[in-house]
Amino acid sequence: MQIDFRYGDIAAADFPRLTWRRALMKTMATSRARSLRYQQPEGSKELRTALQAYLWRTRGLSCSVDQIVIVNGSQQGLDLCSRILLDSGDRFVIENPCYWAARHIFESTGAIPQFVPVDDEGLQTEVLADVKKARLCYVTPSHQFPLGHVLSASRRAQLLDWAATAGAYVIEDDYDGEYRYDIRPIQPLHALDHSGRVVYLGTISKTVSPLLRLGYLVAPTELVDAFRTTKRLTDRHSPTLEQAALASFIQSGAYERHVKKLRRKNAQRRAALLTALSDHFGDAIDVQGSDAGLHVVTWFNDFEPARENHIAGLGRQRGVGIYPISGLYGDGHGPAPKRKAGFVLGYAALEEREIRIGVSRLATALRSK
């Protein structure tokens, strides 16, 4: 049995097959011939209206329907941001450590990363005073990826002040905002923005399936036309059948019921992982970022960062996939000397029994060496 703790994956068994099929069948039964034409790049009005209401109910985010653009997953949202906001030689601010795909897609424009460290309050916004002429700042303020910190209220205000003063935009990636366990829901940075400097990214990849390739962004009013035009030039529009089905799924209330069910199941997986890590490793590890999301970071106190690949190899020999954290740090900005070997462990794709077996195998592999 292969047990893979890859972060970002979700369990196939959690896909809402019956309710999604009903939504698809309803959509196909009510579609008209005109729906076979090319549609508007911003996406269907029905889905954007459903998302506007959902964001207000669940995240306290207020926006107009016109500000929402449907994209092929949050990854395309990042790509559109890079095309609109960055040119070769521009600078962008990004957390350190960070989501590797965001960093690389911004770098693909020829832009230069400015790595800003994070601590227990999230992005160290005081460092921004030394950053010159950055066009954007990419952050994960509600659950920093990968360390799991929440950007504090004072730093949220500082970040927005910096963006307004610098004429920069903040890309807020709310990649797993539906999953909070031991802490209260965090209001999005977008809800505090009164200057139109925040682009908010959301996705259903962590709640329904990444295979549907559907996400959305909320653009500042002055950038709406740019996002629509760029989306049209990129791929015309996102798949219309899936958009209509998702709109029906949300409007019926089935989506929110599904999310609540997933939150309970993933809380159980999380508890199984934390218990197994404690039972097998005890004080030999420190676990970080477990209050929310679908992954944790585990630091192994007896191993240096240089040993991460070796430890991952030992896990593979036992049929366990674990993923080193050092690759998520910017070049020359890796873990401080006091930090130990660290791994990002995702648990949403595994059942509780698999989680317990996987941690046990990993412990056996490390003891054998």
Side-chain angles (χ1 to χ4, degrees), residues 276 280-281 300 357-369:
H280 287 282
F281 293 103
F300 286 78
I357 292 173
V359 173
S360 176
R361 287 183 185 178
L362 181 60
T364 300
L366 293 183
R367 282 196 300 269
S368 69
K369 296 297 180 179

Side-chain angles (χ1 to χ4, degrees), residues 295-306:
H295 72 271
V296 301
V297 173
T298 303
W299 302 103
F300 286 78
N301 298 325
D302 296 330
F303 296 94
E304 298 299 321

Side-chain angles (χ1 to χ4, degrees), residues 274-291:
L274 295 178
T275 298
L277 288 171
S278 177
D279 289 346
H280 287 282
F281 293 103
D283 294 337
I285 63 168
D286 290 313
V287 178
Q288 192 171 12
S290 63
D291 290 337

Side-chain angles (χ1 to χ4, degrees), residues 226-244:
F227 273 103
R228 290 182 176 183
T229 299
T230 307
K231 170 67 176 174
R232 184 191 297 275
L233 292 174
T234 301
D235 63 357
R236 287 278 192 165
H237 54 74
S238 295
T240 56
L241 178 62
E242 287 80 358
Q243 286 188 63

Side-chain angles (χ1 to χ4, degrees), residues 67-198:
Q67 287 178 265
I68 298 175
V69 177
I70 307 302
V71 292
N72 296 340
S74 58
Q75 192 64 25
Q76 187 183 47
L78 292 171
D79 179 64
L80 296 181
C81 288
S82 71
R83 292 170 185 262
I84 293 169
L85 300 176
L86 292 174
D87 291 316
S88 180
D90 286 343
R91 298 177 184 274
F92 66 92
V93 172
I94 194 164
E95 301 159 320
N96 196 32
C98 66
Y99 175 45
W100 62 270
R103 171 192 171 184
H104 292 318
I105 205 163
F106 296 149
E107 286 181 320
S108 71
T109 66
I112 303 166
Q114 300 291 293
F115 297 103
V116 174
V118 299
D119 58 22
D120 290 344
E121 294 186 57
L123 185 80
Q124 295 181 11
T125 50
E126 64 273 15
V127 177
L128 295 176
D130 298 324
V131 175
K132 306 300 182 184
K133 298 182 179 179
R135 295 289 303 277
L136 68 81
C137 175
Y138 172 84
V139 289
T140 49
S142 295
H143 186 232
Q144 198 276 330
F145 185 85
L147 298 181
H149 304 306
V150 174
L151 189 64
S152 67
S154 61
R155 288 188 178 178
R156 287 169 183 250
Q158 290 171 0
L159 176 57
L160 293 173
D161 287 345
W162 169 82
T165 301
Y169 288 93
V170 176
I171 313 302
E172 177 180 15
D173 192 345
D174 195 15
Y175 66 100
D176 62 3
E178 286 81 4
Y179 299 105
R180 313 199 72 77
Y181 308 113
D182 294 334
I183 54 179
R184 296 176 62 186
I186 304 298
Q187 193 174 34
L189 192 64
H190 185 282
L192 306 175
D193 176 31
H194 303 297
S195 301
R197 310 311 301 181
V198 175

Side-chain angles (χ1 to χ4, degrees), residues 24-40:
L24 281 175
M25 295 300 292
K26 177 182 177 182
T27 297
M28 295 177 69
T30 57
S31 63
R32 302 175 183 175
R34 63 179 176 83
S35 67
L36 298 180
R37 300 174 180 175
Y38 286 118
Q39 300 298 304
Q40 295 302 309

